[in-house]
Amino acid sequence: PETLRSLPSLLAAPSLEDVRVEDDQILELVDGRLVPFSATEPGSLFATARALGFSTEMAGFYLPYCELLRGLVDVCQSLSFYNVSTADDDFSPIDPVLTTLVLWPRQFPFGLLKNPPFAMLQRELVEHATAFARRPMRATPPVFRLVHFSVPHLPFVFDAEGYDPPFDPLQTAPDSAYVRQLRYVDRLVGDLVAHLRSTGAYETTTVVLLSDHGFRFGGKERDPL
């Protein structure tokens, strides 16, 4: 519920009361009525960026961003947290099989087959997001870029040094797997800032880092602050 409300709220700019998915539609609750969600109204995030003269770019997983922002985004990439083919640059007949395994339950024995493709998909999502975040920053027109990363969300397949999936990347207790992936996120952000510095873009760039919740499964990381 937190993610489902926070991402549309970010795109729409005002915080939404409630967001639901029915069939293939994203709906918001307005005055007690469910209406189709729109991310392109005047005053929304990308409409505002456009009005201020920015070139707009969006990449991420979870929502169909390119469809939601149609007409307001110059460069866009939508990825799926479950559909393997969205992160694959070329056609592969194995993608439907891997997607089916990713959709399987995490419980034993299904997890034995689910975990490897889910871990690889997480790595590919992060690689795509990182490459997008490192795209050159033009001075004219200035660039407004939003990148939705899939980490530190599970599966927990990274440590501070990079991709190193454990046997069960979906294990949530103890929280050590989450903490090691959080260290990777810290390094990832540092690498992106270092990249901006090396290209000379850092001094004219504002970097905003957002997260919608802490660790959902208990421990001190559950505190969103």
Side-chain angles (χ1 to χ4, degrees), residues 28-173:
E28 61 171 309
L29 191 66
V30 178
D31 297 329
R33 297 185 304 110
L34 284 174
V35 299
F37 166 72
S38 173
T40 59
E41 300 298 320
S44 64
L45 184 64
F46 278 82
T48 300
R50 270 284 180 83
L52 292 173
F54 285 87
S55 171
T56 53
E57 302 180 359
M58 172 79 219
F61 78 110
Y62 190 71
L63 291 178
Y65 296 109
C66 300
E67 179 181 335
L68 290 173
L69 297 170
R70 186 176 296 140
L72 281 181
V73 66
D74 298 307
V75 183
C76 189
Q77 185 177 32
S78 289
L79 301 168
S80 170
F81 199 52
Y82 303 102
N83 186 345
V84 174
S85 67
T86 64
D88 203 336
D89 295 327
D90 302 307
F91 170 78
S92 173
I94 196 70
D95 283 349
V97 177
L98 296 176
T99 297
T100 300
L101 295 178
V102 167
L103 288 168
W104 275 12
R106 70 181 72 180
Q107 288 81 5
F108 181 84
F110 302 101
L112 297 177
L113 291 176
K114 174 191 179 80
N115 288 344
F118 202 18
M120 290 186 291
L121 177 59
Q122 176 74 296
R123 179 181 62 182
E124 291 173 356
L125 291 175
V126 172
E127 288 175 350
H128 277 276
T130 301
F132 199 95
R134 292 169 67 95
R135 287 169 50 85
M137 286 286 193
R138 297 182 308 277
T140 307
V143 178
F144 175 80
R145 177 180 299 157
L146 178 60
V147 185
H148 183 196
F149 280 85
S150 56
V151 286
H153 197 285
L154 54 77
F156 304 126
V157 300
F158 295 100
D159 61 18
E161 301 305 314
Y163 184 70
D164 184 24
F167 176 73
D168 182 7
L170 298 174
Q171 184 176 354
T172 55

Side-chain angles (χ1 to χ4, degrees), residues 185-199:
V185 174
D186 186 57
R187 174 179 175 175
L188 179 61
V189 173
D191 287 346
L192 290 173
V193 170
H195 173 74
L196 289 171
R197 290 186 186 277
S198 70
T199 60

